[in-house]
Amino acid sequence: MCGIVAALAREGNIGPEVISGLKTLEYRGYDSAGIAVMTDDGILVRRKMGKIRALESELAANGLPPSSQALAHTRWATHGVPADRNAHPHTDDNGKVVVVHNGIIENYAELRAELQQRGHQFRSDTDTEVLVNLIASNLRQSGSLHAAVRQALSQVHGAYAIVAMSECEPGRFVVARMDSPLVVGLGADGTYAASDMPALLHLTRDFLILENGETAVLELDHCQVYDPAGQPVDRVVTRCDWTPEQAEKGGYPHFMLKEIEEQPDVLARTAFDRFHDSEGDVDFEATFALDDAELRYFSRLRFMAMGTSLHSAMLGQMMLAELARLPGETLNASEFLYSPELKETDALTVIISQSGETADSLRAMREVKRRGGRVLGVCNVQGSTLAREADHLILTHCGPEVGVASTKAFFGQITALYLLAIRIGRARRVLAPSAGRQLLAALRGLRPKLDILFGAELKAAVEQAADYLASVNSCLFLGRGFNFPIALEGALKLKEISYIHAEGYPAGEMKHGPIALIDAQFPVIALATPGRTYEKMISNLQEVRAREGKVIALCAQGDERIAREADFLLQVPEVSELLQPLVNVIPLQQLSYQVALKLGRDIDQPRNLAKSVTVE
Ligand code: AGP
């Protein structure tokens, strides 16, 4: 998705800081970049197709005058091909107003036709250029940029996060948001706006979060937020607890590798402040806002998410059934919108999203609430739309996840859902304090086991398997029970960063179709750690090898039975069946990383992908 960074500084040349902030948003995926600065001679715009370094070369070649007011953008194409002319920022015909925009203006075609009839000339194929000309046209009547922006936004349908500035009003930004995130940063040396907080952490840690339909006027040392009706509102400052270093690579070659290796720390960040050891229970923060009576009231749980978060949702459902004896279902959030309207009052819906901005998941949340249901959000970004609109909230506290391929956030989600299962099991009195204490002790004891996964032995085994896997065109990940969602996650990781086709399947399904694919060129990655499905997995491995299929097996350390059935072995520590997914997913993340590395892929920003899919 696109990235926005805007800054109004007390003094000095703010352009380099804005470009620096834009680089922290590269992970969101984009195809062009641009910057606009306010100068004594009016607004100057520089923009370039390609990566930010292409824009920096342009700036070095053609210069950019110093300015204390700048706004910049990375574009992920929706309307109009990636090209210089379609890159943001966009100005109106007369170059008096400039806008950057995330989102989609759905009725841009008719607005464009109306403006053309009034004599406007368009130089791009974008919906944003329609918006900026609408604003400029309104500005000539209204005399106020804020009024002109509000009037223009009353004429458009769609999702937007915008920053506008005009040479008629230097020293001022007008910002607005609808279904696309935007934050305002308040610093000692300036006032800022961005798509999300990491882009401004080098300038401030204090933020105002805009709600849907709100606008704001930013000036030096002041920001006034206005509600959808245009009335001033007071907004509490949110202090972001992330440090700029957490948002940086910290010496790693890729954010993804850094975030894979952060996972043992994520265990502590997500879990260890929430243990109520004496009672064998869990204490979530006040935002959870569900007491025992309410937790006993719900007769079922429904989980909804997209992508990797859908895989943790599947595990959440399994853990709630196991520990709280609570039936549940898991739905792809985008499918829920088309489901018949049924009774919602007996269910708690758990919406899981790392970014808290995934359009499909947000629409599902709003639909559940419209139907009278209650929503518990499990999210990694405080201040995100999910974090603010859910009735109840568990933050995973993983720190910023920058790599497009989700790793530590998935780990934090499973950890949080394990704690939730204990919390609900204890509230429903189906889990005794002693059982709760055992489950919490098992989680606390996981950390030294996880460290083994980053040792030389497994690293060598992963690299050997990756050498082979990098040579195939397609493969199958198989798992059963708690390992089935991990098989899906391993397949998603491999396909999204190496571009090798991979499917995740419940191992029991193999004979019902996928076995037709097995041959010497079609390998299987099988999760065969101890548990109630172990024996059946051995049969699967034998069926694959009987058809000359290669087997990469993930198994417990020293498991000779599996060793006899596999061509490549990823040996991991054995832990409880419920916690084994937290162990098993890490070698699969490492495997996909190594394969993508060998294939020279853009690991942190895989082609066509975005970190947060804020459009449906
Ligand atoms: C995961 O590696 C992908 N980047 C993608 O499937 C992602 O999990 C999905 O878009 C959901 O994102 P969210 O967790 O921020 O809602």
Side-chain angles (χ1 to χ4, degrees), residues 281-357:
D281 207 338
V282 168
D283 283 335
F284 288 118
E285 294 87 349
T287 50
F288 181 65
L290 284 163
D291 61 26
D292 285 6
E294 288 174 297
L295 292 173
R296 283 196 290 273
Y297 165 76
F298 296 115
S299 58
R300 64 190 172 95
L301 261 74
R302 175 175 53 217
F303 294 81
M304 292 200 277
M306 301 300 289
T308 285
S309 299
L310 181 61
H311 302 151
S312 61
M314 294 168 73
L315 274 166
Q317 177 194 335
M318 294 174 179
M319 290 192 276
L320 263 294
E322 193 83 10
L323 299 183
R325 318 310 296 166
L326 200 55
E329 61 174 334
T330 302
L331 278 178
N332 178 301
S334 63
E335 290 299 308
F336 175 68
L337 302 175
Y338 313 111
S339 65
E341 187 160 341
L342 303 176
K343 180 177 166 226
E344 288 293 342
T345 50
D346 65 327
L348 176 64
T349 297
V350 184
I351 302 273
I352 302 172
S353 173
Q354 185 286 131
S355 63
E357 300 297 349

Side-chain angles (χ1 to χ4, degrees), residues 91 102 144 271 353:
T91 63
N102 287 357
S144 142
S353 173

Side-chain angles (χ1 to χ4, degrees), residues 272 274-283 433 436-437 440-441 444:
F272 293 163
R274 293 166 159 164
F275 282 18
H276 190 157
D277 281 308
S278 59
E279 291 302 311
D281 207 338
V282 168
D283 283 335
R437 281 192 288 274
L440 292 176
R444 198 188 290 279

Side-chain angles (χ1 to χ4, degrees), residues 181-209:
L182 192 74
V183 295
V184 172
L186 304 175
D189 300 324
T191 306
Y192 316 102
S195 321
D196 60 21
M197 292 185 268
L200 296 175
L201 286 176
H202 63 305
L203 296 167
T204 183
R205 302 249 302 266
D206 292 332
F207 294 90
L208 299 178
I209 314 288

Side-chain angles (χ1 to χ4, degrees), residues 256 304-312 351-362 378-381 386 401 403-407 409-410 413 489 492-493 496-497 606 609-614:
M256 183 179 177
M304 292 200 277
M306 301 300 289
T308 285
S309 299
L310 181 61
H311 302 151
S312 61
I351 302 273
I352 302 172
S353 173
Q354 185 286 131
S355 63
E357 300 297 349
T358 296
D360 292 306
S361 303
L362 295 179
V378 176
C379 181
N380 190 43
V381 180
L386 174 65
E401 183 177 73
V404 166
S406 187
T407 50
F410 177 71
Q413 288 165 355
E489 177 58 13
L492 174 59
K493 288 283 96 48
E496 73 173 324
I497 66 169
L609 282 175
K611 179 61 182 173
S612 178
V613 183
T614 57

Side-chain angles (χ1 to χ4, degrees), residues 260-282:
I260 289 172
E261 300 201 356
E262 274 185 61
Q263 288 175 119
D265 291 340
V266 168
L267 183 66
R269 290 179 211 159
T270 304
F272 293 163
D273 290 343
R274 293 166 159 164
F275 282 18
H276 190 157
D277 281 308
S278 59
E279 291 302 311
D281 207 338
V282 168

Side-chain angles (χ1 to χ4, degrees), residues 10 58 60 67 85 115 193 214 228 345 361 367 458 549 553 603 612:
R10 186 176 310 288
E58 168 78 11
S67 172
R85 73 175 189 284
L115 287 164
E214 292 182 338
T345 50
S361 303
E367 179 59 14
L458 182 60
I603 289 173
S612 178

